[in-house]
């Protein structure tokens, strides 16, 4: 019994593949017709060939390139199984990467929501916070008057080496105590929040991954100006002391940009927060 032949148009409808794609597959030797009419140049395909077209579609669906598909056509069943296992590993890595990106977007959105939720500038307020991992650099000489960009550049460089998403926030840590002058206030750490949960491996000797603990915090936020920084800190300190609040004696200072255009003047909201015991 003579095997039925299908025209390129019929194969296009049966396999839901465009005629242009079938012609291209023929051109690159990926899926060639079983017969070409020498007079009309019409392409005809055998019924059994549609099985191989299904394999091409399946491999393409999972992201295999046409070049790899063409090579896979020569595989033995054992080699094809090994190839599919490799593709499964690739897809698993892609899924993990997309999950990390989704989680990073969630944390970035949460940061923005927290910033927009600050509706009381220059006033002491309370809020609950989740634990937050940070990448920090140890220092003992910096004050609000002077923070060289080299510190921030080191943080950025480390995160870029780790192929990790960068945060648009930076912060500092210093002891909670009475200050009469900003010259007395020295940061112990400069940091940036970690957007991903991945393990950081490329740390310099002065770097470490720390965690700002979860809990309830007493805070104050204000538009950053050096002349008024100490006034706001003293307002927060005075509130804590007058109300006899028991706190962990560590101040977390967060810088949050108000605009993102390089054509505008730098403007930041600063939040000072101290964890309640």
């Amino acid at each position: 019994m003579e095997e039925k032949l299908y025209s390129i148009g019929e194969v296009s409808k049966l396999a839901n593949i465009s005629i242009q794609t079938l012609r291209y597959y023929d051109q690159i030797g990926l899926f060639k017709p079983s017969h070409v009419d020498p007079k009309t140049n019409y392409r005809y395909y055998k019924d059994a060939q549609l099985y191989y077209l299904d394999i091409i579609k399946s491999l393409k669906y999972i992201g295999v390139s046409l070049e790899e598909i063409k090579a896979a056509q020569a595989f033995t069943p054992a080699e094809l199984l090994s190839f599919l296992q490799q593709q499964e590993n690739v897809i698993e890595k892609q899924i993990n990467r997309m999950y990390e990106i989704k989680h990073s977007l969630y944390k970035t959105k949460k940061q923005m929501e927290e910033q927009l939720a600050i509706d009381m500038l220059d006033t002491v307020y309370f809020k609950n916070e989740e634990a937050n991992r940070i990448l920090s650099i140890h220092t003992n000489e910096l004050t609000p008057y002077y923070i060289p960009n080299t510190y921030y550049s080191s943080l950025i460089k480390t995160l870029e080496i780790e192929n990790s998403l960068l945060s648009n926030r930076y912060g500092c840590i210093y002891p909670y105590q009475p200050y009469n002058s900003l010259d007395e206030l020295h940061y112990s750490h400069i940091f940036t929040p970690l957007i991903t949960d991945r393990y950081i491996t490329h740390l310099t000797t002065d770097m470490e991954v720390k965690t700002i603990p979860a809990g309830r915090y007493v805070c104050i936020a204000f538009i950053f100006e050096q002349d008024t920084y100490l006034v706001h800190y003293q307002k927060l300190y005075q509130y804590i002391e007058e109300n006899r609040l028991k706190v962990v004696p560590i101040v977390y200072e967060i810088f949050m940009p108000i605009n993102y255009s390089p054509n505008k003047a730098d403007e930041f909201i600063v939040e000072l927060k101290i964890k309640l015991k």
Side-chain angles (χ1 to χ4, degrees):
M1 182 177 178
E2 186 176 351
E3 187 173 8
K4 178 176 173 56
L5 294 178
Y6 296 95
S7 69
I8 192 170
E10 290 173 321
V11 172
S12 173
K13 292 178 180 179
L14 287 169
N16 194 29
I17 296 178
S18 70
I19 291 175
Q20 291 82 358
T21 298
L22 289 170
R23 286 174 177 161
Y24 179 66
Y25 286 176
D26 180 13
Q27 179 184 341
I28 65 175
L30 182 65
F31 184 73
K32 300 186 74 65
S34 65
H35 173 69
V36 178
D37 190 309
K39 294 181 180 180
T40 63
N41 279 333
Y42 287 170
R43 297 170 172 84
Y44 294 96
Y45 300 82
K46 291 181 180 180
D47 191 43
Q49 284 185 273
L50 298 181
Y51 165 75
Y52 299 104
L53 196 55
D54 287 339
I55 295 176
I56 293 172
K57 290 172 64 179
S58 297
L59 292 176
K60 187 178 178 184
Y61 177 77
I62 64 174
V64 181
S65 68
L66 295 181
E67 184 177 353
E68 288 177 306
I69 294 174
K70 188 175 179 181
Q73 289 175 331
F75 289 165
T76 64
E79 290 171 334
L80 182 59
L81 175 60
S82 176
F83 176 76
L84 293 176
Q85 289 172 337
Q86 292 173 12
Q87 296 306 309
E88 185 177 24
N89 293 336
V90 170
I91 291 171
E92 189 65 33
K93 289 180 181 179
Q94 291 173 344
I95 291 173
N96 291 337
R97 176 62 174 164
M98 292 306 297
Y99 174 81
E100 184 179 70
I101 292 173
K102 181 180 179 181
H103 182 66
S104 299
L105 286 173
Y106 166 78
K107 294 191 72 171
T108 303
K109 285 172 56 182
K110 188 172 180 61
Q111 286 183 351
M112 296 302 300
E113 289 167 354
E114 290 172 352
Q115 179 173 336
L116 292 173
I118 297 175
D119 56 359
M120 298 182 296
L121 293 180
D122 311 318
T123 302
V124 175
Y125 57 92
F126 296 85
K127 69 175 182 177
N128 297 317
E129 292 231 341
E130 298 176 355
N132 190 11
R133 293 172 70 237
I134 59 174
L135 177 64
S136 67
I137 299 180
H138 177 71
T139 176
N140 55 17
E141 60 184 19
L142 306 185
T143 75
Y145 284 129
Y146 178 64
I147 305 177
N149 282 330
T150 52
Y151 284 90
Y152 299 132
S153 297
S154 296
L155 293 171
I156 291 172
K157 183 178 180 181
T158 297
L159 292 179
E160 286 178 341
I161 292 174
E162 297 286 346
N163 195 28
S164 182
L165 188 66
L166 303 178
S167 172
N168 63 356
R169 290 184 175 186
Y170 294 95
C172 304
I173 301 173
Y174 58 91
Y176 171 77
Q177 59 187 50
Y179 295 107
N180 296 312
S181 165
L182 283 186
D183 293 329
E184 302 173 0
L185 191 160
H186 294 279
Y187 295 134
S188 62
H189 294 84
I190 308 295
F191 70 85
T192 186
L194 290 172
I195 301 298
T196 68
D197 292 332
R198 68 171 57 188
Y199 184 75
I200 305 297
T201 58
H202 297 81
L203 297 175
T204 59
T205 55
D206 57 349
M207 282 187 187
E208 62 178 317
V209 174
K210 298 169 67 71
T211 298
I212 299 178
R216 187 159 179 80
Y217 285 77
V218 56
C219 316
I220 191 169
F222 51 94
I223 304 298
F224 176 71
E225 293 179 5
Q226 286 186 348
D227 294 341
T228 63
Y229 185 102
L230 186 60
V231 172
H232 288 94
Y233 174 80
Q234 289 174 337
K235 180 183 289 189
L236 179 61
Y237 183 87
Q238 184 177 359
Y239 182 93
I240 293 171
E241 296 301 315
E242 288 181 352
N243 289 276
R244 298 182 179 180
L245 301 180
K246 294 183 178 180
V247 299
V248 179
I250 300 172
V251 182
Y252 297 99
E253 170 195 294
I254 309 294
F255 268 76
M256 297 170 280
I258 296 176
N259 65 68
Y260 306 94
S261 171
N263 301 319
K264 295 182 179 180
D266 292 339
E267 194 172 15
F268 296 89
I269 290 177
V270 173
E271 182 182 55
L272 305 179
K273 58 185 183 182
I274 302 168
K275 187 177 182 299
L276 299 174
K277 288 185 177 179

